[in-house]
Amino acid sequence: MSNNIDTAIQSIEWRDDHIRILDQTYLPGREVYSDIRDVGRIWEAIKKLRIRGGPAIGIAAAYGFYLGIKELAENSFQSFFIEVERVAEYLESARPTAVNLHWALHRLKTTIEAHKDKEISEIKKIVLKTARTIHAEDKRTCKKIGETGMDLINDDARILTHCNTGSLATGQYGTALSIIYHAHKANKNVQVWVSETRPLLQGSRLTAWELTNANIPMKIITDSTAGSLMHRGKVDMVLVGAEHVAANGDVANKIGTYPLAVLANENKIPFYVVVPLSTIDMDLENGDEIPIEERDPEEITRFNDSEIAPRKAGAYNPSIDITPHGYITGFITEKGIVKPSFEEHFKTFFE
Ligand code: MRU
Protein backbone atom coordinates (compact mmCIF):
# COMPACT_ATOMS: atom_id res chain seq x y z
CA MET A 1 0.00 0.00 0.00
CA SER A 2 1.47 3.40 -0.95
CA ASN A 3 1.73 6.26 1.57
CA ASN A 4 -0.80 8.18 -0.46
CA ILE A 5 -3.33 8.87 2.31
CA ASP A 6 -6.15 9.40 -0.19
CA THR A 7 -6.24 5.69 -0.92
CA ALA A 8 -6.60 4.91 2.76
CA ILE A 9 -8.48 1.89 3.98
CA GLN A 10 -12.27 1.61 3.87
CA SER A 11 -13.58 -0.12 7.00
CA ILE A 12 -17.16 0.00 5.69
CA GLU A 13 -18.90 0.41 2.34
CA TRP A 14 -22.47 0.32 1.02
CA ARG A 15 -22.66 -2.01 -2.01
CA ASP A 16 -25.94 -1.84 -3.96
CA ASP A 17 -28.11 -3.74 -1.46
CA HIS A 18 -25.79 -4.62 1.40
CA ILE A 19 -22.99 -3.49 3.72
CA ARG A 20 -19.41 -4.67 3.26
CA ILE A 21 -17.13 -4.41 6.29
CA LEU A 22 -13.46 -5.17 6.84
CA ASP A 23 -13.72 -7.48 9.88
CA GLN A 24 -11.28 -5.90 12.33
CA THR A 25 -11.14 -8.94 14.62
CA TYR A 26 -8.93 -10.64 12.03
CA LEU A 27 -6.43 -7.78 11.77
CA PRO A 28 -3.51 -7.45 11.44
CA GLY A 29 -3.04 -11.10 10.32
CA ARG A 30 -5.79 -11.32 7.71
CA GLU A 31 -7.92 -8.87 5.67
CA VAL A 32 -11.37 -10.51 5.83
CA TYR A 33 -14.35 -8.75 4.25
CA SER A 34 -17.92 -9.60 5.29
CA ASP A 35 -21.08 -8.86 3.33
CA ILE A 36 -23.92 -8.01 5.70
CA ARG A 37 -27.53 -8.11 4.55
CA ASP A 38 -29.54 -7.91 7.77
CA VAL A 39 -29.82 -5.75 10.89
CA GLY A 40 -29.07 -8.67 13.23
CA ARG A 41 -25.66 -9.23 11.70
CA ILE A 42 -24.69 -5.55 11.87
CA TRP A 43 -25.77 -5.54 15.54
CA GLU A 44 -23.44 -8.52 16.12
CA ALA A 45 -20.61 -6.89 14.15
CA ILE A 46 -20.83 -3.75 16.31
CA LYS A 47 -21.09 -5.75 19.57
CA LYS A 48 -18.10 -7.96 18.70
CA LEU A 49 -15.98 -5.04 17.39
CA ARG A 50 -15.81 -6.40 13.87
CA ILE A 51 -16.58 -2.76 13.07
CA ARG A 52 -15.62 -0.32 15.82
CA GLY A 53 -14.61 3.26 16.59
CA GLY A 54 -17.27 5.92 17.28
CA PRO A 55 -17.83 7.36 13.77
CA ALA A 56 -17.62 3.94 12.04
CA ILE A 57 -20.17 2.54 14.51
CA GLY A 58 -22.47 5.48 13.61
CA ILE A 59 -22.11 4.76 9.88
CA ALA A 60 -22.67 1.01 10.39
CA ALA A 61 -25.77 1.71 12.48
CA ALA A 62 -27.13 4.04 9.78
CA TYR A 63 -26.81 1.38 7.06
CA GLY A 64 -28.02 -1.30 9.50
CA PHE A 65 -31.07 0.82 10.25
CA TYR A 66 -31.92 0.92 6.54
CA LEU A 67 -31.56 -2.88 6.34
CA GLY A 68 -33.89 -3.11 9.34
CA ILE A 69 -36.65 -0.94 7.89
CA LYS A 70 -36.49 -1.70 4.16
CA GLU A 71 -38.87 -4.67 4.33
CA LEU A 72 -41.30 -3.09 6.80
CA ALA A 73 -45.00 -3.02 5.90
CA GLU A 74 -46.21 0.18 4.26
CA ASN A 75 -49.83 0.22 5.50
CA SER A 76 -49.71 3.38 7.63
CA PHE A 77 -47.08 5.84 8.74
CA GLN A 78 -48.07 5.35 12.36
CA SER A 79 -47.51 1.56 12.39
CA PHE A 80 -44.41 1.99 10.24
CA PHE A 81 -42.89 4.47 12.71
CA ILE A 82 -43.59 2.16 15.67
CA GLU A 83 -41.49 -0.50 13.91
CA VAL A 84 -38.85 2.08 12.99
CA GLU A 85 -38.40 2.98 16.66
CA ARG A 86 -38.11 -0.72 17.54
CA VAL A 87 -35.30 -1.15 14.98
CA ALA A 88 -33.49 1.94 16.34
CA GLU A 89 -33.82 0.74 19.94
CA TYR A 90 -32.41 -2.64 18.95
CA LEU A 91 -29.35 -1.08 17.26
CA GLU A 92 -28.79 1.28 20.20
CA SER A 93 -28.45 -1.77 22.47
CA ALA A 94 -25.34 -2.99 20.62
CA ARG A 95 -22.95 -0.70 22.52
CA PRO A 96 -23.80 2.04 25.07
CA THR A 97 -20.99 4.60 24.94
CA ALA A 98 -20.25 5.68 21.37
CA VAL A 99 -22.52 8.71 20.99
CA ASN A 100 -22.23 8.56 17.17
CA LEU A 101 -24.44 5.45 17.28
CA HIS A 102 -27.23 7.40 18.99
CA TRP A 103 -26.52 10.54 16.94
CA ALA A 104 -26.91 8.69 13.61
CA LEU A 105 -30.13 6.90 14.65
CA HIS A 106 -31.63 10.11 16.01
CA ARG A 107 -30.84 11.87 12.72
CA LEU A 108 -32.49 9.08 10.71
CA LYS A 109 -35.62 9.03 12.86
CA THR A 110 -35.90 12.82 12.63
CA THR A 111 -35.53 12.58 8.86
CA ILE A 112 -38.37 10.04 8.67
CA GLU A 113 -40.64 12.26 10.76
CA ALA A 114 -39.82 15.23 8.54
CA HIS A 115 -41.09 13.26 5.51
CA LYS A 116 -44.12 11.61 7.10
CA ASP A 117 -46.42 12.92 4.38
CA LYS A 118 -44.54 11.00 1.70
CA GLU A 119 -45.14 7.42 0.51
CA ILE A 120 -43.39 4.97 2.84
CA SER A 121 -41.54 3.48 -0.12
CA GLU A 122 -40.20 6.99 -0.79
CA ILE A 123 -39.26 7.45 2.87
CA LYS A 124 -37.22 4.24 2.74
CA LYS A 125 -35.22 5.62 -0.19
CA ILE A 126 -34.61 8.84 1.76
CA VAL A 127 -33.32 6.80 4.72
CA LEU A 128 -30.72 5.06 2.55
CA LYS A 129 -29.75 8.40 1.01
CA THR A 130 -29.33 9.89 4.48
CA ALA A 131 -27.20 6.95 5.63
CA ARG A 132 -24.94 7.46 2.62
CA THR A 133 -24.79 11.18 3.38
CA ILE A 134 -23.71 10.46 6.96
CA HIS A 135 -20.92 8.28 5.55
CA ALA A 136 -19.77 10.84 2.95
CA GLU A 137 -19.91 13.68 5.49
CA ASP A 138 -17.73 11.72 7.89
CA LYS A 139 -15.02 11.26 5.23
CA ARG A 140 -15.01 15.00 4.49
CA THR A 141 -15.03 15.85 8.18
CA CYS A 142 -12.08 13.57 8.96
CA LYS A 143 -10.06 15.04 6.11
CA LYS A 144 -10.83 18.54 7.38
CA ILE A 145 -9.82 17.55 10.91
CA GLY A 146 -6.48 16.28 9.58
CA GLU A 147 -5.84 19.50 7.70
CA THR A 148 -6.87 21.61 10.71
CA GLY A 149 -4.80 19.74 13.27
CA MET A 150 -1.70 19.55 11.13
CA ASP A 151 -0.85 23.17 11.97
CA LEU A 152 -0.21 22.12 15.59
CA ILE A 153 2.40 19.54 14.55
CA ASN A 154 6.03 20.63 14.54
CA ASP A 155 8.69 19.01 12.38
CA ASP A 156 10.08 15.81 13.92
CA ALA A 157 7.23 15.71 16.44
CA ARG A 158 7.02 12.56 18.61
CA ILE A 159 3.32 11.89 19.05
CA LEU A 160 1.76 9.37 21.41
CA THR A 161 -1.65 7.97 20.51
CA HIS A 162 -4.01 5.49 22.18
CA CYS A 163 -6.45 2.94 20.73
CA ASN A 164 -7.28 3.23 17.02
CA THR A 165 -8.66 6.48 15.63
CA GLY A 166 -7.80 5.94 11.98
CA SER A 167 -9.57 4.98 8.77
CA LEU A 168 -10.68 1.76 10.47
CA ALA A 169 -12.59 3.75 13.11
CA THR A 170 -14.25 6.23 10.74
CA GLY A 171 -15.45 6.71 7.15
CA GLN A 172 -11.85 7.42 6.13
CA TYR A 173 -8.59 9.01 7.41
CA GLY A 174 -9.74 9.01 11.05
CA THR A 175 -9.61 11.67 13.73
CA ALA A 176 -6.33 11.74 15.70
CA LEU A 177 -4.72 9.52 13.07
CA SER A 178 -5.91 11.81 10.27
CA ILE A 179 -3.68 14.54 11.72
CA ILE A 180 -0.74 12.14 11.73
CA TYR A 181 -1.49 11.05 8.13
CA HIS A 182 -1.65 14.69 6.98
CA ALA A 183 1.50 15.70 8.90
CA HIS A 184 3.35 12.78 7.32
CA LYS A 185 2.08 13.71 3.87
CA ALA A 186 3.42 17.24 4.53
CA ASN A 187 6.87 15.72 5.25
CA LYS A 188 6.91 16.78 8.91
CA ASN A 189 8.84 13.60 9.76
CA VAL A 190 6.52 12.63 12.61
CA GLN A 191 7.20 9.57 14.75
CA VAL A 192 4.43 7.81 16.59
CA TRP A 193 4.31 6.00 19.92
CA VAL A 194 1.38 3.57 19.70
CA SER A 195 0.08 2.32 23.03
CA GLU A 196 -1.02 -1.28 22.53
CA THR A 197 -4.40 -0.64 24.24
CA ARG A 198 -5.25 -3.65 26.28
CA PRO A 199 -7.30 -5.78 26.40
CA LEU A 200 -8.33 -5.91 22.69
CA LEU A 201 -5.11 -4.28 21.40
CA GLN A 202 -6.65 -1.73 19.02
CA GLY A 203 -3.27 0.09 19.14
CA SER A 204 -0.84 -2.74 18.37
CA ARG A 205 -3.24 -4.61 16.04
CA LEU A 206 -5.04 -1.78 14.16
CA THR A 207 -3.14 1.52 14.53
CA ALA A 208 0.21 -0.16 13.91
CA TRP A 209 -1.32 -1.86 10.85
CA GLU A 210 -2.55 1.46 9.44
CA LEU A 211 0.73 3.29 10.16
CA THR A 212 2.97 0.55 8.73
CA ASN A 213 0.78 0.43 5.61
CA ALA A 214 1.31 4.18 5.24
CA ASN A 215 5.06 3.92 5.94
CA ILE A 216 4.80 6.21 8.96
CA PRO A 217 7.57 5.65 11.55
CA MET A 218 6.12 4.20 14.77
CA LYS A 219 6.84 2.04 17.77
CA ILE A 220 4.39 0.01 19.84
CA ILE A 221 4.58 0.43 23.61
CA THR A 222 2.76 -1.25 26.45
CA ASP A 223 0.12 1.02 27.96
CA SER A 224 2.22 1.23 31.13
CA THR A 225 5.30 2.54 29.28
CA ALA A 226 3.79 5.94 28.44
CA GLY A 227 4.61 7.55 31.79
CA SER A 228 8.29 6.70 31.62
CA LEU A 229 8.56 8.01 28.03
CA MET A 230 6.90 11.28 28.99
CA HIS A 231 9.05 11.67 32.08
CA ARG A 232 12.19 11.16 29.98
CA GLY A 233 11.11 13.86 27.53
CA LYS A 234 10.48 11.51 24.60
CA VAL A 235 6.89 12.64 23.87
CA ASP A 236 6.02 16.06 22.39
CA MET A 237 2.26 15.67 22.17
CA VAL A 238 -0.58 13.25 22.91
CA LEU A 239 -3.42 12.89 20.38
CA VAL A 240 -6.47 10.77 21.23
CA GLY A 241 -10.01 10.38 19.96
CA ALA A 242 -13.27 10.29 21.91
CA GLU A 243 -16.41 8.19 22.16
CA HIS A 244 -18.51 10.92 23.76
CA VAL A 245 -17.78 14.53 24.70
CA ALA A 246 -19.98 16.42 27.21
CA ALA A 247 -20.81 20.12 26.85
CA ASN A 248 -18.26 21.06 29.53
CA GLY A 249 -15.48 19.15 27.72
CA ASP A 250 -15.37 15.99 29.82
CA VAL A 251 -14.35 13.12 27.54
CA ALA A 252 -15.26 9.43 27.40
CA ASN A 253 -12.72 7.36 25.48
CA LYS A 254 -10.93 4.00 25.45
CA ILE A 255 -9.85 2.83 28.90
CA GLY A 256 -6.38 4.18 29.60
CA THR A 257 -7.04 7.66 28.20
CA TYR A 258 -7.49 9.30 31.62
CA PRO A 259 -4.11 8.15 33.02
CA LEU A 260 -2.45 9.41 29.82
CA ALA A 261 -4.06 12.82 30.38
CA VAL A 262 -2.86 12.98 33.97
CA LEU A 263 0.67 11.93 32.97
CA ALA A 264 0.76 14.46 30.13
CA ASN A 265 -0.30 17.23 32.51
CA GLU A 266 2.25 16.17 35.09
CA ASN A 267 4.97 16.34 32.42
CA LYS A 268 3.63 19.52 30.78
CA ILE A 269 2.90 17.78 27.47
CA PRO A 270 -0.01 19.04 25.30
CA PHE A 271 -2.94 16.61 25.41
CA TYR A 272 -5.39 17.03 22.52
CA VAL A 273 -8.71 15.29 21.93
CA VAL A 274 -9.58 15.00 18.25
CA VAL A 275 -13.28 14.74 17.43
CA PRO A 276 -15.95 15.46 14.81
CA LEU A 277 -18.74 17.71 16.10
CA SER A 278 -21.04 14.65 15.84
CA THR A 279 -19.25 13.29 18.93
CA ILE A 280 -19.86 16.43 21.03
CA ASP A 281 -23.12 16.16 22.97
CA MET A 282 -24.34 19.59 24.04
CA ASP A 283 -27.32 18.01 25.82
CA LEU A 284 -24.98 16.37 28.31
CA GLU A 285 -23.77 18.76 31.02
CA ASN A 286 -20.74 16.77 32.17
CA GLY A 287 -19.09 13.34 32.01
CA ASP A 288 -20.80 11.89 35.08
CA GLU A 289 -23.79 10.80 33.04
CA ILE A 290 -21.85 8.96 30.32
CA PRO A 291 -22.61 5.21 30.54
CA ILE A 292 -19.48 3.10 31.12
CA GLU A 293 -19.53 0.02 28.89
CA GLU A 294 -18.49 -3.08 30.82
CA ARG A 295 -17.38 -5.91 28.57
CA ASP A 296 -16.79 -9.65 28.98
CA PRO A 297 -14.04 -10.31 31.60
CA GLU A 298 -12.69 -13.02 29.31
CA GLU A 299 -11.40 -10.27 27.02
CA ILE A 300 -8.84 -9.78 29.83
CA THR A 301 -8.25 -13.37 31.00
CA ARG A 302 -7.97 -14.92 27.53
CA PHE A 303 -6.18 -13.86 24.36
CA ASN A 304 -7.25 -15.49 21.13
CA ASP A 305 -7.71 -19.04 22.34
CA SER A 306 -5.19 -18.98 25.17
CA GLU A 307 -5.86 -18.52 28.88
CA ILE A 308 -3.57 -15.79 30.15
CA ALA A 309 -4.96 -15.89 33.69
CA PRO A 310 -6.14 -18.65 36.06
CA ARG A 311 -9.60 -19.82 34.97
CA LYS A 312 -11.04 -19.00 38.42
CA ALA A 313 -9.63 -15.46 38.44
CA GLY A 314 -12.22 -12.70 38.25
CA ALA A 315 -11.65 -9.64 36.05
CA TYR A 316 -13.22 -6.19 35.70
CA ASN A 317 -13.35 -4.92 32.11
CA PRO A 318 -14.61 -1.35 31.63
CA SER A 319 -14.17 -0.36 27.98
CA ILE A 320 -13.89 3.37 28.54
CA ASP A 321 -12.91 5.94 31.15
CA ILE A 322 -13.77 9.59 31.65
CA THR A 323 -11.15 12.34 31.39
CA PRO A 324 -12.22 15.54 33.16
CA HIS A 325 -11.98 18.61 30.92
CA GLY A 326 -9.36 20.18 33.22
CA TYR A 327 -6.71 17.80 31.84
CA ILE A 328 -7.39 18.63 28.19
CA THR A 329 -5.24 21.21 26.38
CA GLY A 330 -7.73 21.51 23.55
CA PHE A 331 -10.09 19.87 21.09
CA ILE A 332 -9.33 19.57 17.37
CA THR A 333 -12.50 19.53 15.28
CA GLU A 334 -13.47 20.08 11.65
CA LYS A 335 -14.52 23.62 12.59
CA GLY A 336 -11.25 24.49 14.31
CA ILE A 337 -9.15 24.12 17.44
CA VAL A 338 -10.96 24.73 20.74
CA LYS A 339 -9.18 25.89 23.87
CA PRO A 340 -10.77 26.35 27.33
CA SER A 341 -13.38 27.31 28.20
CA PHE A 342 -14.78 24.59 26.03
CA GLU A 343 -18.56 24.99 26.53
CA GLU A 344 -18.63 28.59 25.29
CA HIS A 345 -16.63 27.72 22.18
CA PHE A 346 -18.55 24.53 21.44
CA LYS A 347 -21.78 26.57 21.52
CA THR A 348 -20.50 28.80 18.71
CA PHE A 349 -20.07 25.69 16.53
CA PHE A 350 -23.70 24.60 16.98
CA GLU A 351 -25.36 28.01 16.51
O1 MRU B 1 -13.87 -0.08 21.68
P1 MRU B 1 -13.51 0.71 20.45
O2 MRU B 1 -12.36 0.14 19.72
O3 MRU B 1 -14.70 0.97 19.57
O4 MRU B 1 -13.05 2.14 21.04
C1 MRU B 1 -12.72 3.15 20.16
C2 MRU B 1 -12.26 4.40 20.83
O5 MRU B 1 -12.26 4.55 22.04
C3 MRU B 1 -11.86 5.53 19.91
O6 MRU B 1 -10.85 6.30 20.51
C4 MRU B 1 -13.06 6.43 19.63
O7 MRU B 1 -14.15 5.67 19.26
C5 MRU B 1 -12.76 7.43 18.55
S1 MRU B 1 -12.55 6.67 17.01
C6 MRU B 1 -12.29 7.93 15.94
Side-chain angles (χ1 to χ4, degrees):
M1 167 136 2
S2 79
N3 61 4
N4 173 357
I5 60 171
D6 295 319
T7 60
I9 303 138
Q10 303 275 327
S11 61
I12 184 165
E13 287 175 86
W14 177 255
R15 293 204 155 190
D16 304 331
D17 63 351
H18 66 279
I19 308 168
R20 168 164 285 198
I21 64 163
L22 173 56
D23 187 332
Q24 299 181 34
T25 61
Y26 289 97
L27 292 173
R30 291 171 60 203
E31 284 182 39
V32 176
Y33 288 86
S34 298
D35 291 329
I36 294 178
R37 296 173 192 281
D38 68 77
V39 66
R41 285 207 47 224
I42 202 70
W43 186 94
E44 190 270 351
I46 293 172
K47 183 80 184 170
K48 291 283 170 59
L49 281 75
R50 301 185 194 287
I51 182 92
R52 32 99 8 236
I57 292 172
I59 296 164
Y63 288 134
F65 179 78
Y66 172 69
L67 291 176
I69 66 137
K70 75 181 174 71
E71 304 301 337
L72 288 179
E74 300 178 1
N75 314 335
S76 78
F77 181 82
Q78 205 187 0
S79 57
F80 170 68
F81 199 71
I82 289 168
E83 291 306 309
V84 157
E85 292 205 301
R86 197 179 50 74
V87 173
E89 211 177 299
Y90 170 63
L91 283 164
E92 297 222 9
S93 70
R95 291 187 75 188
T97 310
V99 75
N100 285 72
L101 170 62
H102 312 287
W103 170 85
L105 294 168
H106 175 74
R107 181 167 165 180
L108 289 160
K109 286 196 290 180
T110 311
T111 302
I112 291 175
E113 284 182 300
H115 292 88
K116 62 179 179 213
D117 300 327
K118 290 201 168 65
E119 291 294 319
I120 291 176
S121 56
E122 199 47 41
I123 294 175
K124 290 177 180 176
K125 289 186 193 139
I126 294 168
V127 165
L128 177 57
K129 192 161 171 264
T130 309
R132 301 190 77 164
T133 303
I134 288 172
H135 192 175
E137 278 173 7
D138 187 71
K139 291 183 183 180
R140 286 196 298 275
T141 296
C142 288
K143 193 165 186 359
K144 187 78 183 113
I145 285 175
E147 291 158 357
T148 305
M150 198 174 60
D151 300 339
L152 285 172
I153 310 295
N154 298 327
D155 286 351
D156 308 319
R158 298 156 304 167
I159 301 168
L160 189 147
T161 193
H162 188 60
C163 196
N164 172 261
T165 59
S167 291
L168 290 170
T170 60
Q172 197 172 14
Y173 307 106
T175 56
L177 228 60
S178 178
I179 297 174
I180 292 170
Y181 278 132
H182 283 81
H184 177 71
K185 189 178 174 191
N187 299 319
K188 292 200 174 199
N189 189 32
V190 291
Q191 292 132 64
V192 189
W193 298 110
V194 177
S195 59
E196 63 179 351
T197 317
R198 283 271 298 158
L200 296 176
L201 304 178
Q202 285 91 329
S204 54
R205 289 188 308 113
L206 307 176
T207 300
W209 184 74
E210 287 200 45
L211 294 177
T212 47
N213 280 339
N215 301 318
I216 298 177
M218 46 109 342
K219 281 214 170 57
I220 298 169
I221 57 169
T222 65
D223 299 340
S224 47
T225 302
S228 153
L229 281 174
M230 291 185 195
H231 187 58
R232 290 182 286 140
K234 297 190 179 296
V235 178
D236 300 308
M237 178 184 281
V238 180
L239 292 179
V240 296
E243 295 261 293
H244 201 154
V245 179
N248 71 343
D250 292 349
V251 164
N253 195 42
K254 183 50 60 187
I255 194 81
T257 303
Y258 170 57
L260 283 177
V262 174
L263 287 163
N265 267 263
E266 176 63 24
N267 293 282
K268 304 200 173 12
I269 295 166
F271 183 90
Y272 284 97
V273 176
V274 190
V275 278
L277 295 190
S278 56
T279 305
I280 300 175
D281 180 357
M282 294 306 282
D283 295 331
L284 199 68
E285 212 177 302
N286 60 50
D288 301 347
E289 294 147 51
I290 298 177
I292 304 265
E293 178 188 19
E294 257 190 66
R295 295 186 58 88
D296 186 343
E298 285 208 349
E299 289 180 353
I300 291 177
T301 58
R302 299 180 68 85
F303 191 72
N304 282 348
D305 297 325
S306 323
E307 280 169 357
I308 54 173
R311 197 166 293 175
K312 286 203 196 106
Y316 168 57
N317 186 18
S319 175
I320 62 134
D321 57 24
I322 308 291
T323 299
H325 60 275
Y327 290 100
I328 298 167
T329 310
F331 288 85
I332 303 170
T333 77
E334 70 270 30
K335 286 206 172 168
I337 296 164
V338 184
K339 293 286 176 79
S341 76
F342 299 128
E343 187 148 3
E344 268 167 59
H345 292 113
F346 286 160
K347 277 188 186 143
T348 62
F349 288 162
F350 291 96
E351 278 158 0

